[in-house]
Amino acid sequence: MALDIRGGVVRGARVAVGGVGTVPWRLPKVEEALVGRRPGRRTWTAAAALAAEGAVPLSENAFKVKLVERTVRRQLMTI
Amino acid sequence: MATTVVGQRLSRVDARRKVTGAATYSAEHRIEGLLYGVIVNGTVARGTVSRISVDEALAHPGVLRILTDFSKLRLAHPVDRIAFYGQPIAVVVAETLEAATHGASLVEATYEQQDAVTDFDTPDIPSQTPADEPDHSRGDPAGALASAQVKVDLELTSARENHNPIELPSTIARWQDGRLTLWDKTQWSQGAARTVAGALGIAVGNVRVHNEFLGGGFGSGIQTYDHVILAAFAAREVGSPVKVVLTRRQFYYGTGFRLASRHRIALGSSTAGRVSALIYDVRIENARYQTYTDGLIDLPQFLYGVPNTRTAYRVTPVDIHSPCSMRGPGVVLGNFALETAMDQLAHELTVDPIELRLRNEPTQDEVTQLPFSTRKLRECYETGARRFGWSRRQPKPGSRTEGDLLIGMGMATASYHNNRRDSSARARIHADGTVEVFAASADMGPGTTTSVMQVAADALGLPASAVTFRLGDSSYPTAPLHAAACTMASVGSAVHTTCNALKAEFIRRAVADPDSPLHGENPADVHVRDGQLETSGAQDTYRDILRRAALPSLDITGNWGPGEADSRISTYGNGAVFAEVSVDPLLGLVRVRRIFAAYDVGRVISPKLAHSQAIGGMVGGIGMALLEGTVTDHRDGRIVNASLADYLVPVNADVPDLDAASSTPRTHKPIRSA
């Protein structure tokens, strides 16, 4: 996770997760949702909610949808 | 008896050899003419091998022989068909491990596959009541639960787990003149000798098993599995010594495991916290070809005083290999259910969890109706609570936070049956005053080599440096399996008895010997200290007694057994374990911050080793509760996470400060450490 924050605004964001697919996975929708926003809990929660958008889970990995959203949110909260 | 060596905080006598690589483990023995065997595992859970093609493998340089016909062997499972995924279907023997491994990859099998069920949660498959675990009932459990003022009724599950000791199962087999020698990673050399002899149809007297050093076991080395038998079989077939070492992946199919379990536990209580009803139904996964039960109902039946109790044990056979004992076998699963229910009840009643347990402390073992040998749980709760800081606990869940984390404290009762079994030992005093003590026991990590030496040293009145305890050879006097916490209580007791008998023999010889300064003394007046046999006025030594008799050494073999003690008393080691954890509510991430336990395990022989056992058990508990779990792909029965990369065990980052205290018994109980 790399965020470029200047003047109180997220100017650029690169977010990737591991352990959710066969390769590390970039999360462009989360990145788009961050750029142009002010850092803070509301921004983090809204962006993280997009982390698994479009995912088609199977029975054995369905838990990862919620987990990846929350992991991204938790990581954003450390900023 | 003067106790000077027992109770000393000794380090392991073999510690230096272990950390410098001088300790030789089973796979490390250098045997002339050694060949390498690699097992080929089947890839269906049920069916038969219709064709097996070995030509390509045999053509690989270095491959000497491929054995595929096991029909003459008596194995634990059927040999004429496939009963579980990973069942051995061939052994490739080659000049090098590399050639054998590559050869194994070239063996091609086709199967006549049958529908297999590997998931014991599959609907509508039958379960059975195991013969050795009949239903237990006392009072009117259903009526008492129905009329109880407060109830908890929980459904709980536990995952399959694998032992994962660092040393993998390994066997070297060598035949000489019809006699078989095995160097095997086993927790029971004499059990291994019997099983291999039975499997091959030879006399047990023709099998000798060496197992001096074990790199962990946790129960995975109690039974003797296919790889041991196949190593011996292959060595006989090819006429050369053969070594078989399972890979980590093969370990998950080639030994047993802690079975997965499904529990329903219900407690009924008065508002005053007196538990009147307990109903416990548990179901476990099992193989079809043999039944293995695991003692899950032991603690729920007796740990608390509950007049109306019912327990029912069911096994569900499916197409898997057989489970086996794993550290704290069965008991930890049953106790997980019981203690979770007690915690929940304490919460419902708003009673302190310790107080709830104290209110239901039994006055006797309510299953056997026998008195307890000792039961100092009250002291364990008090000591544990004080040293842990239990008074700082806030009972309302979620009431203590640190940043985004929730911080909580909890406790549970620990209990384990005090197993003792018939055991023998030989003790020998040499002319130079040194002593060797022998028993066919093993030391998978608890430090038996050290702690049993301490028992022998005190019995003979010698310093630790004079005594060596030799184990790890099936030709030594009889010892039980090195498991189930019975080694010190059994082997230690046999060594104690034998060394006392040897000391008495020396005293008898001294007082009868006209040349001894002790001649004519009453044997009861002779005491031994630092190798000196002395009365108030005279003294003699083991060395001088042997010198005068012109003997290079003198030895004696003795036996010990628990006799009928279990029909008179109920004997358990007990404890109270306290933990503080943090929970990240967003992620469900649980981190253990500290654990403290107060144990009453009887008389502690070797405090440093016992402490290691106590905190080692906690590490196992962290793994069991939070990290471990074997995952099966039920489409074919393959284990998905059969590696240390995918199967999580506690690592340093998971293990915080751990500590434990042992109570000092007022009276001597049977001795034990591990």
Side-chain angles (χ1 to χ4, degrees), chain B residues 180-201:
Chain B
L180 173 64
T181 304
L182 296 170
W183 290 264
D184 183 42
K185 189 258 167 83
T186 175
Q187 291 171 234
W188 194 12
S189 61
Q190 292 175 331
R194 268 194 296 279
T195 303
V196 172
L200 298 176

Side-chain angles (χ1 to χ4, degrees), chain A residues 41 60 67 70-71 73-74 77, chain B residues 404-405 584-588 631:
Chain A
R41 208 169 260 253
E60 298 295 309
L67 183 60
R70 291 178 171 198
T71 303
R73 178 154 37 124
R74 168 64 76 226
M77 284 161 67
Chain B
D404 294 314
L405 298 178
D584 183 332
L586 197 58
L587 303 179
V631 180

Side-chain angles (χ1 to χ4, degrees), chain B residues 37 67 91 93 175 229-240 242 244:
Chain B
L67 304 163
V91 183
V93 181
W175 292 84
I229 295 160
L230 293 177
F233 173 61
R236 188 170 69 180
E237 292 296 307
V238 301
S240 295
V242 169
V244 174

